[in-house]
Amino acid sequence: QVQLVESGGGLVQPGGSLRLSCAASGNIFSIYAMGWYRQALGKQRELVANFVDGGGLTYTDSVKGRFVISRDIAKKTVHLQMNSLRPEDTAVYYCTMDLLIGISRKIFWGQGTQVTVSS
């Protein structure tokens, strides 16, 4: 059974930094894509940053220059370094991976980790 486990959320003051991590476990044959989404209270879930199949990298405009996504495919981990945090970055952050499990390709989600930016 595949699981994605996130860590690193918490409360931080505006201008501060946090690093989120996500580790996948289970019988994973291949990784097509890895990334982070977030969902603020009362809003739709949105893409924050991701690696896509073929090596492409995407950031949503509001985090460009502040957030950095990184990965270690061998360790099946993806990280999100968040700098210069703003109150509007407050949300539940979800890790997601597009994985090949046996002969099936499927998208998996972590349980979410709360990030709160407040003074």
Side-chain angles (χ1 to χ4, degrees), residues 6 20 35-49 60 62-63 67 80 82 87-96 109-117:
E6 297 134 336
L20 305 183
W36 293 91
Y37 281 69
R38 67 185 179 187
Q39 187 166 18
L41 196 62
K43 296 188 177 181
Q44 289 188 332
R45 191 173 296 189
E46 65 170 353
L47 173 68
V48 178
T60 193
S62 63
V63 308
F67 291 12
L80 187 68
M82 305 185 294
E88 54 265 38
D89 295 317
T90 295
V92 178
Y93 284 70
Y94 296 91
C95 166
T96 182
W109 293 86
Q111 79 283 1
T113 185
Q114 178 70 46
V115 171
T116 302
V117 184

Side-chain angles (χ1 to χ4, degrees), residues 16-108:
S17 297
L18 283 174
R19 178 177 169 86
L20 305 183
S21 295
C22 175
S25 62
N27 193 16
I28 298 167
F29 284 2
S30 186
I31 300 175
Y32 294 104
M34 320 169 83
W36 293 91
Y37 281 69
R38 67 185 179 187
Q39 187 166 18
L41 196 62
K43 296 188 177 181
Q44 289 188 332
R45 191 173 296 189
E46 65 170 353
L47 173 68
V48 178
N50 70 340
F51 293 99
V52 297
D53 194 14
L57 179 60
T58 302
Y59 290 97
T60 193
D61 286 346
S62 63
V63 308
K64 286 179 181 177
R66 301 189 297 123
F67 291 12
V68 177
I69 188 172
S70 61
R71 64 180 175 179
D72 186 329
I73 293 178
K75 294 183 178 179
K76 303 183 185 66
T77 58
V78 62
H79 309 278
L80 187 68
Q81 177 66 43
M82 305 185 294
N83 303 318
S84 302
L85 282 160
R86 305 167 180 168
E88 54 265 38
D89 295 317
T90 295
V92 178
Y93 284 70
Y94 296 91
C95 166
T96 182
M97 296 190 189
D98 185 356
L99 305 172
L100 182 64
I101 312 298
I103 60 171
S104 299
R105 181 173 174 174
K106 185 178 177 182
I107 294 175
F108 292 85

